[in-house]
């Protein structure tokens, strides 16, 4: 019998239920599928002849295994990266034949994200799942957090952090919970427009880097969100600089050849046609068009539906141990979070130029596709952070440009 543990989680978690074969972007298509050792052994002990042959053909040892409880084995995928255990209606043959207990830890848990902070567990959902994205982003209410005892079940730990450890004694990590809670408070401050909230978050973390660890609590208590927000002013020309910068980023990432998501490739083709950036043509040639498009989209879609982006950012902060999501440097976590948002908005505006319209449903669908195609690509994250640091962009001036 599974032991119950203390669990803290967003209130939306109780609404989630996998819709299986009805899902329009199955997590069993497009991703590598890892098998833990216990499940791997189960697969090779089944007596059902048809399933036994399927397991022997499609489940193999992972020569790059990093953790036997996570990726001891791997399912062999074809060119379409579709799990061979899906039936014609995208339902799992393994679960249908043997029950959920025969699913690997990865398959059982997704889209749930589980972390352990000190003596409690935190569970949330990953927006890369369409149904999870609709639940996370679909409510106009602020994300709130609950605490109760729940069963862990079959799980994989995404992150473990003991802030009480002696190694963090004189570091900001000791005050991780206070810093993260205040970061969420900034993003949920609906008295400010969304870009202003992101600016204040950067200002808060940037200043925090220079504060002695024993003064962090006092700094947080005295930090005045509304007062700091007055120093932010949006510069329209920054939109033009963003188009130039992010177009170069897309070229370097080579999305059309390197990314496995057909939907994300489709979006990429649409935005490049929408922005109509020709080779060797300076972006400045179309500056008025870009500024008008960004300003109109920001007013009509982002600010009018800022709860979508607020919930996306709050959820990201919660399930990625932000601001220590990239390194021990808090500003690294911030600048990459801001980059993600800026790239997302770059796509949304490009789609808007291409289609001439947008909708809440289309915005949520895009964010889900973005999360699946981009958020889960660790290579791009490290490459982008390295590029930002090499060019000394890890500062508030660069952050203002991305806003």
């Amino acid at each position: 019998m599974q032991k119950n543990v203390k669990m803290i989680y967003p209130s939306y978690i109780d609404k989630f239920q996998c819709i299986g074969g009805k899902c329009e972007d199955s997590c069993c298509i497009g991703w590598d599928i890892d098998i833990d050792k216990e499940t791997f052994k189960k697969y090779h002990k089944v007596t059902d002849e048809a399933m036994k042959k399927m397991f022997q053909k499609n489940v193999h040892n992972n020569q790059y295994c990093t953790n036997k409880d996570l990726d001891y084995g791997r399912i062999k995928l074809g060119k379409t990266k579709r799990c061979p255990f899906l039936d014609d209606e995208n339902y799992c043959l393994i679960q249908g034949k043997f029950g959920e207990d025969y699913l690997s830890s990865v398959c059982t848990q997704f889209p749930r994200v589980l972390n352990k902070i000190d003596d409690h567990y935190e569970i949330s959902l990953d927006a890369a799942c369409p149904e999870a994205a609709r639940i996370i982003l679909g409510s106009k209410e602020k994300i709130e957090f609950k605490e109760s005892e729940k069963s862990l079940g079959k799980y994989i730990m995404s992150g473990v952090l003991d802030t009480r450890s002696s190694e963090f004694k004189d570091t900001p990590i000791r005050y991780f919970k206070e810093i993260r809670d205040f970061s969420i408070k900034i993003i949920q401050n609906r008295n400010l427009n969304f870009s202003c909230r992101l600016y204040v978050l950067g200002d808060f973390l940037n200043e925090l880097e220079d504060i002695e660890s024993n003064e962090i609590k006092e700094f947080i208590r005295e930090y005045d969100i509304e007062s700091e927000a007055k120093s932010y002013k949006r510069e329209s020309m920054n939109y033009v600089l963003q188009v130039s910068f992010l177009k170069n980023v897309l070229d370097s990432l080579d999305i059309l050849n390197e990314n496995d998501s057909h939907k994300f490739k489709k979006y990429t083709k649409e935005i490049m046609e929408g922005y109509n950036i020709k080779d060797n043509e300076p972006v400045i040639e179309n500056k008025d068009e870009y500024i008008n498009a960004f300003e109109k989209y920001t007013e009509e879609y982002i600010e009018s539906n800022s709860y979508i982006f607020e919930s996306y950012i709050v959820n990201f902060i919660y399930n990625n141990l932000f601001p220590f999501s990239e390194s021990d440097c808090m500003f690294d976590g911030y600048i990459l979070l801001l980059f993600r948002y800026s790239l997302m908005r770059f796509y949304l505006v490009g789609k808007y130029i291409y289609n001439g319209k947008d909708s809440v449903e289309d915005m949520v669908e895009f964010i889900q596709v973005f999360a699946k195609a981009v958020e889960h690509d660790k290579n791009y994250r490290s490459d982008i952070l390295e590029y930002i640091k090499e060019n000394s962009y890890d500062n508030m001036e660069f952050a203002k440009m991305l806003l």
Side-chain angles (χ1 to χ4, degrees):
M1 189 174 184
Q2 287 286 345
K3 180 183 176 182
N4 284 349
V5 297
K6 186 162 84 173
M7 191 85 75
I8 300 175
Y9 53 95
S11 54
Y12 66 63
I13 204 85
D14 295 325
K15 299 177 184 177
F16 177 75
Q17 186 172 359
C18 178
I19 59 176
K22 297 177 183 177
C23 185
E24 66 271 30
D25 193 7
S26 172
C27 54
C28 305
I29 302 172
W31 279 342
D32 291 329
I33 303 172
D34 295 323
I35 308 294
D36 56 278
K37 187 173 182 178
E38 182 183 343
T39 306
F40 184 92
K41 290 165 70 175
K42 279 184 179 181
Y43 289 170
H44 291 279
K45 288 181 179 179
V46 299
T47 55
D48 182 284
E49 285 301 320
M51 291 300 292
K52 187 174 184 177
K53 288 180 180 178
M54 285 192 72
F55 286 134
Q56 289 173 342
K57 179 181 178 182
N58 297 297
V59 181
H60 56 86
N61 288 92
N62 178 15
Q63 61 177 317
Y64 303 109
C65 172
T66 58
N67 184 333
K68 63 182 177 64
D69 295 322
L70 173 64
D71 59 354
Y72 179 83
R74 183 163 282 182
I75 291 179
K76 184 186 293 184
L77 305 178
K79 289 183 179 179
T80 60
K81 301 203 80 171
R82 175 188 170 87
C83 178
F85 294 98
L86 287 179
D87 67 16
D88 292 340
E89 295 181 347
N90 283 345
Y91 283 95
C92 178
L93 292 170
I94 299 172
Q95 183 170 356
K97 190 76 176 178
F98 303 110
E100 188 173 321
D101 191 48
Y102 271 70
L103 295 179
S104 70
S105 298
V106 168
C107 295
T108 302
Q109 185 167 314
F110 186 82
R112 300 165 190 86
V113 179
L114 187 69
N115 295 310
K116 187 178 183 185
I117 311 298
D118 297 341
D119 59 353
H120 65 266
Y121 293 84
E122 298 182 345
I123 191 166
S124 53
L125 296 180
D126 190 325
C129 162
E131 185 65 9
R134 284 187 282 267
I135 291 170
I136 297 166
L137 309 176
S139 173
K140 295 183 180 181
E141 302 300 316
K142 294 180 181 179
I143 290 179
E144 295 182 345
F145 298 89
K146 299 167 63 176
E147 181 176 337
S148 67
E149 289 200 347
K150 286 180 175 286
S151 170
L152 275 181
K154 218 173 186 180
Y155 68 90
I156 302 166
M157 204 68 70
S158 295
V160 178
L161 181 62
D162 186 349
T163 64
R164 303 161 299 187
S165 171
S166 58
E167 67 179 304
F168 302 135
K169 183 179 179 181
D170 297 314
T171 74
I173 295 176
R174 171 75 70 177
Y175 304 99
F176 163 74
K177 287 176 283 189
E178 290 88 348
I179 294 169
R180 186 180 63 175
D181 287 350
F182 197 76
S183 296
I184 289 174
K185 182 179 179 180
I186 292 171
I187 295 300
Q188 290 186 325
N189 186 327
R190 296 184 176 182
N191 294 326
L192 308 176
N193 69 49
F194 197 67
S195 288
C196 189
R197 296 183 228 176
L198 288 170
Y199 168 81
V200 174
L201 177 62
D203 177 80
F204 166 67
L205 295 173
N206 191 44
E207 289 191 36
L208 201 57
E209 294 279 13
D210 297 324
I211 302 297
E212 295 293 329
S213 61
N214 62 345
E215 298 175 354
I216 284 177
K217 281 189 175 182
E218 183 181 356
F219 173 77
I220 293 174
R221 277 195 303 270
E222 294 181 353
Y223 190 90
D224 190 330
I225 296 173
E226 308 260 341
S227 177
E228 295 298 333
K230 293 176 182 176
S231 62
Y232 171 68
K233 182 182 178 182
R234 178 182 283 133
E235 299 289 343
S236 295
M237 270 305 294
N238 282 344
Y239 293 137
V240 181
L241 297 176
Q242 285 175 44
V243 172
S244 178
F245 171 73
L246 294 172
K247 165 63 168 59
N248 290 336
V249 168
L250 286 194
D251 287 343
S252 66
L253 293 177
D254 197 13
I255 298 291
L256 294 179
N257 292 314
E258 296 297 326
N259 200 279
D260 292 326
S261 170
H262 296 297
K263 286 187 177 181
F264 197 61
K265 287 179 179 179
K266 173 178 170 289
Y267 286 137
T268 303
K269 289 176 181 177
E270 288 179 359
I271 69 159
M272 297 320 294
E273 190 169 332
Y275 284 115
N276 192 29
I277 304 172
K278 297 180 175 61
D279 291 338
N280 302 317
E281 179 184 82
V283 168
I284 199 73
E285 294 291 328
N286 299 315
K287 69 179 181 67
D288 291 337
E289 179 184 348
Y290 297 149
I291 291 172
N292 289 337
F294 270 85
E295 289 185 339
K296 190 172 182 182
Y297 190 87
T298 298
E299 180 182 348
E300 293 186 8
Y301 293 99
I302 293 182
E303 293 304 337
S304 298
N305 303 289
S306 61
Y307 67 90
I308 295 175
F309 303 94
E310 173 190 306
S311 294
Y312 166 80
I313 297 290
V314 168
N315 195 67
F316 181 92
I317 287 174
Y318 191 71
N319 67 20
N320 285 278
L321 303 186
F322 182 90
F324 305 102
S325 42
E326 306 301 332
S327 69
D328 290 348
C329 174
M330 293 178 282
F331 203 75
D332 284 355
Y334 168 73
I335 206 71
L336 267 194
L337 174 61
L338 182 57
F339 173 80
R340 290 175 176 94
Y341 169 74
S342 183
L343 182 60
M344 188 186 301
R345 183 177 59 184
F346 174 73
Y347 265 84
L348 287 168
V349 173
K351 278 169 55 328
Y352 171 68
I353 298 172
Y354 179 81
N355 294 309
K357 58 184 177 62
D358 206 350
S359 68
V360 168
E361 293 74 21
D362 287 344
M363 291 160 73
V364 171
E365 180 184 348
F366 169 76
I367 292 172
Q368 178 270 316
V369 172
F370 177 91
K372 184 175 180 179
V374 178
E375 290 292 356
H376 286 266
D377 188 339
K378 294 180 181 178
N379 292 328
Y380 113 83
R381 281 164 46 189
S382 58
D383 289 348
I384 291 299
L385 184 58
E386 183 180 349
Y387 176 79
I388 287 173
K389 285 182 168 294
E390 281 180 353
N391 289 276
S392 301
Y393 290 155
D394 49 339
N395 54 65
M396 282 304 295
E397 286 306 310
F398 179 69
K400 286 179 185 177
M401 188 276 285
L402 288 180
L403 287 166

